[in-house]
Amino acid sequence: MYSKIKPPTKKISKQAVKVWRMSEAIIHLIIIAILFLLLIADNYFAWKEWIGWMLIGFVLLSLFHSIWSIFIEPILLQKYWRYDVNEEFIHTKRGAWYETHELIPMTKVQSVKLDQGPFLRKYNLYSLSIGTMGDSHEIPAIPEKEAYELRDKIAYYAKIKEVD
């Protein structure tokens, strides 16, 4: 009755790990710097004692979270992210512990967009955003040539017309 849909097989670039590590490192450095500034302010202004302990707790939590999100999470994201495109669907799969499978029908696709920030540009990568009627879906860190081919392929399958 129903045809078996094969799981996606295409992986995102291994360079994505470096990109995600750099962006997470910057974010966590800013957060930890702000927390240390608050600790200095706590010491200087002699705030209530519990505020200092809360700030120390936040610094420790930030350190543990930064270890996770800089060193472990990017590897898992790259390892378990898959995508595939055919005439009927865009199929994505992600997640190490909680797997998420998405099937996006080509009939619902309204737009396809390539994004490239400074870190992605350094490694010649793009993120592909697929706009549907009620949501937006993303395939991160695709090499440049493959990203343009994928964008054109999705636009062709979805019958998206180029607007001047």
Side-chain angles (χ1 to χ4, degrees), residues 2-3 17 19 34 51 70 76-77 93 110 127 149 151 155:
Y2 292 105
S3 65
V17 173
V19 171
I34 290 171
I51 294 175
I70 294 171
L76 292 176
L77 283 173
K93 176 188 154 207
Q110 291 183 328
S127 287
E149 289 173 1
R151 180 200 62 182

Side-chain angles (χ1 to χ4, degrees), residues 131-144:
T132 59
M133 290 183 209
D135 208 355
S136 181
H137 309 274
E138 186 177 14
I139 302 173
I142 306 170
E144 181 178 15

Side-chain angles (χ1 to χ4, degrees), residues 31-89:
I31 290 170
I32 291 172
I34 290 171
L35 288 172
F36 273 116
L37 287 174
L38 287 171
L39 276 170
I40 292 169
D42 173 52
N43 191 29
Y44 182 76
F45 293 114
W47 291 340
K48 297 193 187 257
E49 187 177 342
W50 63 271
I51 294 175
W53 287 110
M54 291 291 290
L55 289 171
I56 291 170
F58 286 141
V59 167
L60 291 174
L61 282 174
S62 285
L63 288 173
F64 287 122
H65 186 261
S66 65
I67 290 169
W68 164 259
S69 63
I70 294 171
F71 298 107
I72 301 167
E73 188 179 30
I75 294 169
L76 292 176
L77 283 173
Q78 193 278 329
K79 184 176 180 181
Y80 290 102
W81 193 288
R82 302 280 187 278
Y83 68 93
D84 222 340
V85 174
N86 62 33
E87 292 180 17
E88 295 181 60
F89 299 107

Side-chain angles (χ1 to χ4, degrees), residues 66-158:
S66 65
I67 290 169
W68 164 259
S69 63
I70 294 171
F71 298 107
I72 301 167
E73 188 179 30
I75 294 169
L76 292 176
L77 283 173
Q78 193 278 329
K79 184 176 180 181
Y80 290 102
W81 193 288
R82 302 280 187 278
Y83 68 93
D84 222 340
V85 174
N86 62 33
E87 292 180 17
E88 295 181 60
F89 299 107
I90 300 165
H91 188 184
T92 63
K93 176 188 154 207
R94 63 185 174 274
W97 288 290
Y98 300 104
E99 274 190 8
T100 302
H101 291 264
E102 276 185 314
L103 277 176
I104 306 158
M106 284 295 178
T107 57
K108 302 296 182 190
V109 174
Q110 291 183 328
S111 66
V112 183
K113 180 174 74 169
L114 289 176
D115 296 317
Q116 186 183 49
F119 293 140
L120 289 172
R121 190 173 303 120
K122 180 178 179 181
Y123 294 100
N124 244 3
L125 299 174
Y126 284 87
S127 287
L128 184 80
S129 295
I130 302 149
T132 59
M133 290 183 209
D135 208 355
S136 181
H137 309 274
E138 186 177 14
I139 302 173
I142 306 170
E144 181 178 15
K145 183 181 178 207
E146 189 178 337
Y148 278 104
E149 289 173 1
L150 194 58
R151 180 200 62 182
D152 295 343
K153 188 177 186 181
I154 292 170
Y156 176 76
Y157 287 155

